[in-house]
Amino acid sequence: MNFKYFQISVLLTLLLIFGCQPKKSITQNKQFENETWNAFDYVDFSTNIADPDNAYQIKIQLILSEKFIQNEFSFGLSQKNEDGESIYSHHTIPVRNAQGELDGEMKDGYYYYSLLTNNKTYFNSMANYTFSIESTIGKYEVNGVKEISLEIEQL
């Protein structure tokens, strides 16, 4: 009987050690001087993906001020690794409601938006990856952009 309890306690201990590993999350952000994003200012974030066997989600977070006059925020996201592998995607975040008002979550005088660009993605190799975000709004200077962030979370 004691051996059976020993086996159960070892099994439960192993489950606690290996089953409760915290998810890995990486967040990097870029704040824009004078809340202005220059069209040729690519925002680059780099990180090391050490566990390509797990699924990840990629999220873009955006903070805008009243100076932002467009109805939507459009951007390109490219992902490159040190092996030369590259992926590009284009995204749009609607930022105004039907009345033409910014409708993000309001905090401290700014509007917050979030877009899940990849719900479940896998990386092909254990490598350093660079994520580049470019504004595709079509203006030389885009006013009212306070900050943009990239979050990569292991699922």
Side-chain angles (χ1 to χ4, degrees):
M1 211 49 126
N2 286 337
F3 185 70
K4 185 176 183 178
Y5 289 121
F6 175 75
Q7 286 178 320
I8 291 173
S9 64
V10 168
L11 179 63
L12 289 174
T13 302
L14 289 173
L15 280 173
L16 283 173
I17 292 171
F18 295 108
C20 298
Q21 296 292 328
K23 293 181 183 179
K24 295 176 187 167
S25 180
I26 302 160
T27 302
Q28 297 179 5
N29 65 339
K30 160 80 174 173
Q31 292 188 350
F32 294 96
E33 190 175 324
N34 300 320
E35 297 178 0
T36 301
W37 188 347
N38 182 302
F40 300 108
D41 185 13
Y42 288 70
V43 178
D44 292 328
F45 300 115
S46 295
T47 190
N48 182 274
I49 300 297
D51 193 358
D53 295 329
N54 283 319
Y56 294 82
Q57 71 178 13
I58 300 173
K59 186 186 302 181
I60 298 293
Q61 298 176 357
L62 181 66
I63 304 174
L64 301 176
S65 74
E66 290 282 347
K67 294 187 224 171
F68 189 81
I69 61 171
Q70 285 76 19
N71 291 325
E72 58 190 23
F73 184 85
S74 61
F75 64 95
L77 175 64
S78 63
Q79 165 189 320
K80 300 174 191 163
N81 71 13
E82 56 197 12
D83 298 330
E85 191 178 326
S86 179
I87 299 170
Y88 179 85
S89 55
H90 186 265
H91 304 276
T92 301
I93 302 174
V95 297
R96 295 191 181 274
N97 60 23
Q99 291 76 33
E101 301 163 336
L102 290 170
D103 65 351
E105 179 184 345
M106 177 78 148
K107 278 193 257 179
D108 302 322
Y110 291 96
Y111 298 89
Y112 289 69
Y113 300 88
S114 183
L115 178 70
L116 188 61
T117 61
N118 297 79
N119 186 31
K120 189 175 183 181
T121 190
Y122 291 88
F123 294 95
N124 291 332
S125 61
M126 190 168 31
N128 288 318
Y129 284 81
T130 300
F131 297 84
S132 295
I133 304 172
E134 64 174 317
S135 170
T136 58
I137 291 177
K139 296 194 178 283
Y140 178 71
E141 289 185 341
V142 180
N143 294 313
V145 182
K146 181 179 194 259
E147 182 177 308
I148 193 161
S149 301
L150 172 79
E151 179 182 354
I152 303 169
E153 183 178 2
Q154 184 177 353
L155 299 176

